[in-house]
Structures are given as C-alpha cells and as structure tokens.
Amino acid sequence: LEYYAEIGAKRDQLSFEIDGVVYKVDDYAARDKLGFTARAPRWAVAHKFPAREETTIVENIEVQVGRTGVLTPVAVLRPVHVSGVTVTHSTLHNQDEVDRKDVRIGDTVIVRRAGDVIPEIVGVIREKRLHGAKRWRMPPKCPSCNSEVVREEGEAAHRCMGGLYCPAQRVRALLHFASRRAMDIEGLGEKLVEQLVEKQKVRTVADLYGLTVEALAELERMGEKSAENLVAQIEKSKKATLPRLLHA
C-alpha cells in the first residue's frame, strides 16, 4: 500500500500512462500452489488508481441505432483531454440512465474513462446548469428510417421497428456479418458498408454475394485492385464453418 501511494504520487511525472499497480507473490513454490483461474493467476492482483475526471459541456444528445434496432442516446461533448485521450462522445445507454443522471443539453458534466478506457459521464454540475435547459426524451420515430420506436414492457431499451428496412440497422447487421468472429470478410469496413447501403447495392447480407468488381469499383476510395481483393474475400467466406455462419 505504501508503494501504491508512492507510485500514485509520481503518476503525473511519468512519461507514459498507467492505471494502477500489480502485486505479485514472489515465492515460486507458493505461485504453483495458488495456480490460475480460467483467465488470471491467483498469485497476482491489480490495484487500480481512481479514474481521472475532467469537466466539459454536453453540446448535444444524438441517437445511434444498433444492429438489433436498439436506440442508444450518445452525448456529444466539447472535446476534453482525459487520461491521455481526447474524449468527444459518451454513451448514455438508455432513457432511464439519462433520467437517473438528469443530463441535459448544455449541462456542464464530469467525465472519466471507466477502467481508464470507456468514456462515461459521472454526473452533472447542477450549479452551472443554464436556465430553461430541457429534459431529453427518446424520439418517437427512428432518426434513420422514420419507423415507429417502441419500448416493450419490462425492457430498458427502445427499439426501431424497421428491421432491415432501416438503413442504420442494415449497416450494423452487415458489419457484424463481416466481422472477424463471424464470416471474417477483410476489407468490408464501415465507410464501404455505408456506401453500399446508401446506394442500395446491398439490401440483405445475401446481396454481398452478388457484388461484382465493376459495381464495387464505382464506389469512392475503391480502385479496381481493392474491388478484386474484396470480391476474393467474399468468395473465401463461402467456406466459413457453420458456427461462424450462425453467429453471423
């Protein structure tokens, strides 16, 4: 604990970021007896420092539509430097979380990186709240496809009812389908998928397998060689295992 306090005091002077210290048993025989769990040694433990906190302003609250249609409110923040990273966005998870923290557009908020990784809003500095700041509400229509937004009884999430008709859901579904743990189609990134959906070249995942080099070469930032490589990757994915296909 003395060492923890000593390193904590030096944290700001170090030429690299740290998020804590690790204590290890230095007796090898004792290490053998203690062994491992499925994912970590029982002879070592991490002691984290408190997450660094900064203040900034919520400039807007936007809605992101996920692969399954879940609408997630995201705070757009005035850029702020937290633990070596410039933070511009923070998820607010759902309407209940927005209400619980009472986050409003224009609020001054305390931001930290949870586990020194994911940006989160810790709370609102209410003394700095602007007069007339209104509570935020989930929109009744999907911002991507204008379909109805429904919150099922007993669920925290609001969902767009558009399914794959919804461009935002289609983009996320395609990215999931092509991801490393699924069909592993290298080169099928977010910008490209957004173009394929926007230009209506792909309406379902099955349409990926009808794409030609010529059709892909018409897209922005896609030369003929890149198009050929992607078509080859799509062809290769036909040999994926059944578990990968089911996951996709």
Side-chain angles (χ1 to χ4, degrees), residues 7-8 28 32 56 65 68-69 95-96 109 132 148 196 202 222-223 228 241 248:
I7 294 294
Y28 287 104
D32 289 341
T56 188
V65 185
T68 60
Q95 182 71 64
D96 290 346
V109 292
E148 187 184 6
L196 290 169
V202 175
M222 277 296 280
E228 286 172 2
T241 61

Side-chain angles (χ1 to χ4, degrees), residues 211-229:
L211 290 172
T212 62
V213 172
E214 293 73 28
L216 288 167
E218 292 172 4
L219 301 174
E220 282 177 41
R221 301 181 188 174
M222 277 296 280
E224 195 168 323
K225 186 63 183 168
S226 299
E228 286 172 2
N229 290 343

Side-chain angles (χ1 to χ4, degrees), residues 135-202:
R135 293 181 184 276
W136 183 85
R137 284 282 167 261
M138 190 70 74
K141 300 284 186 184
C142 172
S144 180
C145 70
N146 209 36
S147 294
E148 187 184 6
V149 170
V150 172
R151 182 179 186 174
E152 299 286 350
E153 196 174 336
E155 279 198 12
H158 286 73
R159 291 179 193 274
C160 161
M161 296 288 103
L164 287 184
Y165 164 77
C166 175
Q169 287 188 61
R170 206 180 320 157
V171 166
R172 293 291 145 203
L174 288 164
L175 287 170
H176 171 74
F177 185 82
S179 65
R180 189 167 292 174
R181 287 180 58 203
M183 300 302 272
D184 195 18
I185 303 174
E186 202 175 317
L188 198 59
E190 189 162 353
K191 297 291 182 202
L192 181 57
V193 167
E194 283 174 355
Q195 283 192 75
L196 290 169
V197 169
E198 188 185 334
K199 296 184 187 303
Q200 298 197 351
K201 290 183 183 288
V202 175

Side-chain angles (χ1 to χ4, degrees), residues 1-43:
L1 291 173
E2 284 173 8
Y3 180 77
Y4 174 84
E6 181 188 330
I7 294 294
K10 293 177 182 173
R11 189 181 181 187
D12 291 333
Q13 282 76 55
L14 298 174
S15 59
F16 45 86
E17 288 287 334
I18 62 170
D19 65 353
V21 299
V22 176
Y23 310 131
K24 297 180 182 179
V25 173
D26 58 2
D27 179 324
Y28 287 104
R31 282 190 186 188
D32 289 341
K33 281 183 184 174
L34 288 163
F36 290 78
T37 66
R39 55 183 291 273
R42 287 197 182 92
W43 44 263

Side-chain angles (χ1 to χ4, degrees), residues 92-108:
L92 290 164
H93 302 290
N94 52 52
Q95 182 71 64
D96 290 346
E97 185 75 353
V98 177
D99 293 343
R100 186 179 70 80
K101 290 182 175 174
D102 191 19
V103 179
R104 306 182 191 185
I105 295 167
D107 274 351
T108 300

